[in-house]
Amino acid sequence: MSDTLKPENAEQLLQAVQWAVAEKQPLEVLAGGSKRAYGRPMQTAATLDLSALYGIKIYEPAELYMTALAGTPMSDIDAALAEAGQQLSFEPPDLGPLLGGAANAGTIGGVVACNLAGPRRIKEGAARDHVLGFHAVSGRGETFKSGGTVVKNVSGFDLSKLLAGSLGTLAVMSEVTLKVLPAPEKIRTLLICWRTDGVYDHGAMTAMSRALGSPHDVSGAAHLPAAVAARSSVDYVSNSGGGVTALRVEGPAPSVEHRAKALTETLKEFGQIEELHTSNSKTFWQEIRDVSAFVGRDDLPIVWHLSVPPASGAKVALSLLEELRGEVIYDWGGGSIWLALAGGDAHADEVRAAVAKTGGHATLIRAPVDVRAETPVFQPRLGPESDVTKNIKIGFDPDGILNPGRMYQGV
Amino acid sequence: MLMPKPDETVIARRQELADALRDIVPGEGVIDGAEELRAFDCDGLMAYKQLPLIVVLPETTEQVSAVLKYCHKNNVKIVPRGAGTGLSGGAMPLADGITLGLSKFKKILDIDFDNRCVVTQPGVTNLAISQAVEADNFYYAPDPSSQIACSIGGNVAENSGGVHCLKYGLTTNNILGVEMVLMNGDIIRFGGKHLDAGGLDLMGVITGSEGLLGVITEVTVRILRKPETVQALLIGFPTMVDAGNCVADIIAAGIIPGGMELMDKATVHATEDFVHAGYPLDVDGLMIIELDGPSAEVDYLVGRVREIAERNNASTVKTAANEEERVRFWSGRKNAFPAIGRISPDYICVDGTIPRKKLAEVLERMAGISEKHGLRVANVFHAGDGNLHPLILFDANKEGELERAELVCSDILMLCVEVGGVLSGEHGIGVEKRDLMGAMFTEDDLKQQQRVKCAFDPGHLLNPGKVYPELHRCAELGKMHIHHGKLPFPDIPRF
């Protein structure tokens, strides 16, 4: 029988972990559960559910930070920020629907634990860049904290970076403090609609590189091949008939006007340029952020996320699509590739071999549980990196109580 | 400064170690003459000096690896050193330790505009990276004030900042990859030209680890396109409270300036006498705000900042008429430290961060601390990100003044922590603030940090005596304390 512990405060959280340590009872740690199907499958008899540890503890818009309990729903956080005209600038995606679950079920703890970031990653960084501090309970059953509430802080090792992206394998965060920033007044998206037949992905990489190397402060650079563009709910994109490259500029109104115009000039040699205004832009970038084109695709059950040098994006993706049946979405100027594949095989060897040619890493985001059990979900760590990773796990969670094996076997 | 007791047996083996190291690093890369060693007896924290046992200046990653492997086997301590400009004593030598300098790693290896990054050796200066890409209108964003001399490897080790951190982040937000050698000689690479780690973010934790986890031998940094326009405003306020309110209102209006600096009256007078930047002398607080970006944006924001300043009782609001004047506005701020050096024989530069809103309170209480110890304090403040640099003026030749200055320093840092800030914003902990760590962290917090050290260097051979006030043996840190035998609560909901 599976036991679920649902602490309601930090003290109860500590007791729950201490119990698990004493009983050598591995715990599956979750809050919203929206990304439960992400990572290696685990076998744990007990679940530590953080969803009762919720609420925004401190929000000081003028100090540009927010402290929230780990189980606070993202929808609450977004609502509070919107009211003050602010946002989490790393644009955390909602991967719930992609992973076969409900939308808006994610929590801030889950966002940090998975170190996710949306299209603005290229300009503003990932969750790791916005975590200013946290309180947590280690797998030793001890409470500890790191960081603070200020952006400029070099006092001791930066454990926030380590916890961000550790999928709950090192410690259970009870609260996190995040940097928040003003939301832009206005958003404009320029669309390059590729009319040529055949493959224009390489041209798209060049266009995105030119835009990102311009002084126009581009905050989103994505490319959708025709099959993906056709699925957009934004008419301008789905009706374009071909592939679409999208570039976002945001900020104060006069600045956005000026930059959109200048950027159009820079990009006009690539093809016809269309514009999306604020509302359509929001819809469009949310689709990119949440990988909406691959939601509910029974024909493409496998989804990988590849992080590669941006200029190599098309080369990596096209070489894979030559061998395998699937579709891709490019984000981060080509540096992020969402690859959806047909069939039940993850083709991990082919995917990782393609990535290895350029440097980078590949993560298996969506796959049936049996596939995730036999495929290394995260980029395998070799040699000294594997040793250090294991030693760090031992330092935080020597008995393997917290999400054991969720990232790597034995970690 | 209390350091771990030097190991006399290692000191006795000095000649043997030097010979062995010469086999690894031939030529003049091994230094053991007393006169030559003196050039390495301290870093930017010059109050503490110590001759290193030997200095090694390798030229390749393989040599670094071989040196570390040898020292690991022979149980010899290593102090990594970049350009030696650090202000917290992170590169302070050990009597029984080898200082491993990266000054010969001076090549930029790859400039990649398509991927907007530069791959460089660690001894290249921060400024040299920006200069290498300047002709193509790119730059590297973090700009510590020592950027002309400090090395990028040292920047990674210290997670260096600068005046533009609020908008552009610290070193940790601007690097993509690192090659590092572990104490046992293993070479390890994190990241590359792509974003994010594929596993635990080890690059994140080694950034700012002050030479305790490994020796950095290569860095890949992100470069940014230069903004189209940069404009600066000089704004004077009758009181520091008005200045503080103006800072808060600018942020509340959704404006994130490239830089936002504040100086108090003492600093304004000292710098104006020194560089004649044209600062108004009838103000209690002087702010420089830099706005950068597309010209349309900068013009628009200059107007809004001006409005906000006037609403907060600004007595002077001057927009730089041209680039020359903008540079002059900054010249005072950039020369604040030497300017203070002219009015006081010695000074200590404190580095702490506070929540912006506590500025007025902290300044008032700092005046009290200054009065209590009978030493003057001048203030410069990175107002945008809350990083405070009080300068404590004293005369080391006067009996007891250095000790009093150190007391002022620790009182100010404790105050920073008390109001919700931190011990160090950008200079690091090193030896300077090591013994204050307990004010910010509990014993458990510190132990958990040190367990990360154990994952990289279980023998505590890399830079021991820095950052952490107490060295716990890794075996002791690894022990488990079982707190309860069974689930002690009816109070935790179970299902």
Side-chain angles (χ1 to χ4, degrees):
Chain A
M1 189 198 90
S2 175
D3 225 351
T4 296
L5 303 171
K6 198 169 176 180
E8 287 171 348
N9 54 50
E11 181 54 32
Q12 289 183 356
L13 169 64
L14 178 65
Q15 288 174 14
V17 177
Q18 286 181 346
W19 165 79
V21 172
E23 296 293 314
K24 296 208 186 303
Q25 188 74 257
L27 297 171
E28 178 189 7
V29 186
L30 58 82
S34 68
K35 292 178 280 291
R36 212 172 176 182
Y38 172 50
R40 298 177 73 242
M42 298 181 293
Q43 270 152 4
T44 52
T47 300
L48 180 59
D49 178 350
L50 301 183
S51 58
L53 270 178
Y54 70 91
I56 294 169
K57 207 167 141 185
I58 309 169
Y59 175 29
E60 299 210 30
E63 293 292 319
L64 301 177
Y65 81 89
M66 174 190 274
T67 301
L69 301 189
T72 309
M74 282 307 292
S75 48
D76 288 9
I77 291 196
D78 289 339
L81 289 168
E83 205 171 304
Q86 295 190 329
Q87 64 182 9
L88 292 173
S89 283
F90 59 99
E91 236 177 338
D94 177 8
L95 295 187
L98 181 73
L99 295 168
N104 288 318
T107 61
I108 190 65
V111 161
V112 172
C114 297
N115 188 31
L116 296 169
R120 216 182 278 106
R121 172 72 183 89
I122 44 172
K123 180 166 180 276
E124 299 283 350
R128 75 182 288 273
D129 296 288
H130 295 256
V131 182
L132 300 177
F134 66 84
H135 287 250
V137 178
S138 71
R140 299 173 163 273
E142 290 168 0
T143 299
F144 70 104
K145 65 171 184 301
S146 179
T149 64
V150 294
V151 291
K152 227 167 163 184
N153 178 7
V154 292
S155 317
F157 291 162
D158 191 356
L159 300 186
S160 301
K161 297 284 183 297
L162 207 48
L163 255 65
S166 67
L167 269 86
T169 58
L170 301 180
V172 186
M173 288 178 284
S174 56
E175 63 174 65
V176 288
T177 298
L178 289 143
K179 172 181 166 183
V180 298
L181 286 168
E185 203 175 297
K186 196 166 183 173
I187 309 169
R188 194 69 67 82
T189 303
L190 301 186
L191 304 176
I192 304 172
C193 303
W194 300 87
R195 295 293 179 208
T196 45
D197 291 331
V199 178
Y200 28 70
D201 299 35
H202 288 291
M205 299 301 117
T206 310
M208 289 193 286
S209 177
R210 181 117 13 123
L212 289 168
S214 79
H216 309 310
D217 215 4
V218 170
S219 70
H223 174 67
L224 314 183
V228 174
R231 293 182 174 270
S232 175
S233 67
V234 177
D235 292 348
Y236 288 99
V237 178
S238 51
N239 294 339
S240 82
V244 173
T245 300
L247 299 148
R248 177 171 64 182
V249 286
E250 306 171 290
S255 168
V256 169
E257 297 286 347
H258 166 87
R259 282 143 65 208
K261 215 170 133 197
L263 196 57
T264 303
E265 197 57 33
T266 306
L267 297 174
K268 66 179 183 198
E269 67 173 272
F270 292 99
Q272 188 195 335
I273 313 282
E274 303 282 350
E275 277 193 18
L276 301 180
H277 286 228
T278 299
S279 161
N280 269 335
S281 281
K282 280 188 177 163
T283 307
F284 175 81
W285 290 104
Q286 188 173 329
E287 286 177 2
I288 300 290
R289 186 193 79 178
D290 297 345
V291 206
S292 302
F294 297 158
V295 169
R297 295 285 294 274
D298 295 337
D299 56 330
L300 299 172
I302 305 286
V303 176
W304 285 89
H305 184 242
L306 280 54
S307 177
V308 296
S312 314
K315 198 171 84 186
V316 172
L318 295 176
S319 75
L320 282 165
L321 292 179
E322 252 171 45
E323 294 171 43
L324 308 169
R325 199 160 65 78
E327 292 178 14
V328 293
I329 305 168
Y330 300 92
D331 193 5
W332 303 351
S336 157
I337 301 167
W338 291 95
L339 168 71
L341 295 176
D345 187 343
H347 296 283
D349 292 344
E350 292 96 318
V351 171
R352 291 217 159 95
V355 169
K357 281 180 201 154
T358 64
H361 58 88
T363 308
L364 181 57
I365 302 284
R366 179 177 76 190
V369 65
D370 54 320
V371 177
R372 281 182 291 124
E374 61 201 30
T375 311
V377 169
F378 295 91
Q379 187 78 16
R381 291 286 167 240
L382 306 167
E385 206 174 345
S386 167
D387 299 342
V388 171
T389 299
K390 281 180 186 152
N391 290 342
I392 285 178
K393 170 74 172 180
I394 290 168
F396 282 83
D397 179 22
D399 291 342
I401 297 299
L402 304 176
N403 278 351
R406 180 98 188 246
M407 289 187 86
Y408 299 107
Q409 197 167 8
V411 169
Chain B
M1 178 57 54
L2 190 66
M3 294 302 287
K5 197 173 167 320
D7 183 340
E8 293 298 335
T9 61
V10 170
I11 294 174
R13 292 174 60 201
R14 186 155 173 271
Q15 190 57 50
E16 175 203 336
L17 295 173
D19 292 344
L21 291 167
R22 282 202 174 91
D23 286 342
I24 301 169
V25 183
E28 295 177 354
V30 176
I31 297 167
D32 60 349
E35 268 317 298
E36 291 89 341
L37 285 177
R38 208 165 299 284
F40 298 88
D41 68 358
C42 66
D43 60 7
L45 182 71
M46 287 177 273
Y48 304 112
K49 292 189 196 292
Q50 166 67 53
L51 280 188
L53 185 67
I54 300 168
V55 171
V56 186
L57 305 174
E59 289 180 50
T60 65
T61 301
E62 290 65 35
Q63 287 178 355
V64 173
S65 165
V67 169
L68 291 180
K69 204 174 199 166
Y70 174 80
C71 290
H72 183 245
K73 207 173 124 198
N74 285 276
N75 213 27
V76 178
K77 296 170 189 131
I78 292 277
V79 176
R81 179 184 171 104
T85 58
L87 292 169
S88 56
M92 190 184 96
L94 299 173
D96 61 341
I98 289 167
T99 291
L100 192 145
L102 280 302
S103 56
K104 294 192 173 174
F105 281 75
K106 276 200 167 325
K107 276 200 248 7
I108 289 180
L109 303 171
D110 180 15
I111 296 175
D112 183 346
F113 290 112
D114 283 342
N115 289 309
R116 296 167 294 284
C117 63
V118 168
V119 184
T120 175
Q121 291 192 325
V124 171
T125 63
N126 172 294
L127 188 62
I129 298 174
S130 286
Q131 285 170 341
V133 295
E134 195 175 18
D136 293 86
N137 288 312
F138 278 81
Y139 75 114
Y140 172 63
D143 59 343
S145 54
S146 57
Q147 69 177 154
I148 189 166
C150 64
S151 67
I152 188 68
N155 286 181
V156 174
E158 298 291 321
N159 191 14
S160 305
V163 297
H164 297 105
C165 290
L166 182 63
K167 187 165 178 186
Y168 295 103
L170 287 84
T171 303
T172 190
N173 313 111
N174 287 280
I175 59 172
L176 296 170
V178 166
E179 178 192 75
M180 190 173 93
V181 184
L182 300 182
M183 189 63 220
N184 64 7
D186 283 348
I187 300 167
I188 186 166
R189 295 188 75 95
F190 310 117
K193 292 181 178 179
H194 57 278
L195 294 169
D196 295 331
L200 293 181
D201 186 1
L202 301 178
M203 186 168 75
V205 78
I206 63 127
T207 307
S209 63
E210 304 197 24
L212 267 70
L213 302 183
V215 177
I216 293 151
T217 48
E218 188 190 292
V219 185
T220 303
V221 304
R222 192 166 78 110
I223 50 170
L224 303 178
R225 173 69 188 236
K226 272 194 199 163
E228 216 172 68
T229 317
V230 184
Q231 179 57 282
L233 290 97
L234 193 64
I235 307 173
F237 295 93
T239 69
M240 281 299 255
V241 174
D242 289 326
N245 290 339
C246 184
V247 170
D249 287 356
I250 287 170
I251 302 277
I255 301 169
I256 303 291
M260 184 150 54
E261 294 291 307
L262 199 51
M263 290 177 274
D264 70 357
K265 194 173 184 171
T267 313
V268 170
H269 281 254
T271 55
E272 184 57 20
D273 282 350
F274 183 36
V275 296
H276 312 292
Y279 290 167
L281 296 174
D282 58 344
V283 297
D284 256 23
L286 185 67
M287 185 147 75
I288 305 172
I289 296 192
E290 186 161 285
L291 297 157
D292 60 1
S295 51
E297 177 166 327
V298 171
D299 291 348
Y300 168 76
L301 293 180
V302 164
R304 291 190 63 188
V305 166
R306 188 177 268 280
E307 257 171 57
I308 294 168
E310 278 160 4
R311 209 166 58 218
N312 282 292
N313 311 319
S315 52
T316 323
V317 183
K318 237 183 348 186
T319 307
N322 48 43
E323 178 62 11
E324 196 189 330
E325 188 169 29
R326 184 187 74 84
V327 172
R328 198 161 60 241
F329 284 178
W330 275 108
S331 69
R333 168 63 186 86
K334 292 204 167 167
N335 285 293
F337 294 5
I340 293 294
R342 286 174 81 232
I343 61 164
S344 173
D346 299 282
Y347 67 88
I348 293 179
C349 173
V350 189
D351 160 51
T353 306
I354 58 168
R356 276 177 291 267
K357 66 173 176 189
K358 297 283 186 181
L359 178 62
E361 180 192 336
V362 168
L363 287 173
E364 197 188 315
R365 289 176 62 186
M366 255 188 332
I369 294 171
S370 156
E371 203 172 312
K372 183 176 126 197
H373 295 283
L375 291 176
R376 287 180 298 164
V377 176
N379 267 296
V380 292
F381 184 51
H382 301 306
D385 48 42
N387 190 196
L388 201 61
H389 289 314
L391 302 167
I392 305 162
L393 316 190
F394 71 102
D395 183 349
N397 288 328
K398 286 193 187 150
E399 177 80 26
E401 281 215 352
L402 170 64
E403 289 71 23
R404 265 156 55 211
E406 286 179 333
L407 283 176
V408 174
C409 179
S410 59
D411 281 3
I412 290 174
L413 290 171
M414 299 301 261
L415 172 60
C416 290
V417 174
E418 187 200 315
V419 301
V422 300
L423 280 177
S424 178
E426 57 185 353
H427 295 175
I429 301 297
V431 290
E432 190 201 17
K433 298 173 184 179
R434 185 192 67 188
D435 298 338
L436 299 174
M437 286 287 272
M440 196 174 148
F441 295 110
T442 65
E443 190 64 25
D444 281 350
D445 297 342
L446 291 174
K447 281 185 172 168
Q448 197 51 57
Q449 294 190 29
Q450 288 179 279
R451 289 188 187 105
V452 172
K453 164 79 169 167
C454 295
F456 286 83
D457 173 29
H460 284 304
L461 290 173
L462 264 173
N463 224 3
K466 315 290 172 68
V467 185
Y468 298 103
E470 209 181 331
L471 275 182
H472 297 283
R473 289 162 52 87
C474 288
E476 179 204 330
L477 286 168
K479 277 186 200 143
M480 284 290 279
H481 300 277
I482 303 300
H483 297 263
H484 297 282
K486 52 181 184 286
L487 199 57
F489 39 82
D491 44 327
I492 299 181
R494 306 176 60 144
F495 302 92

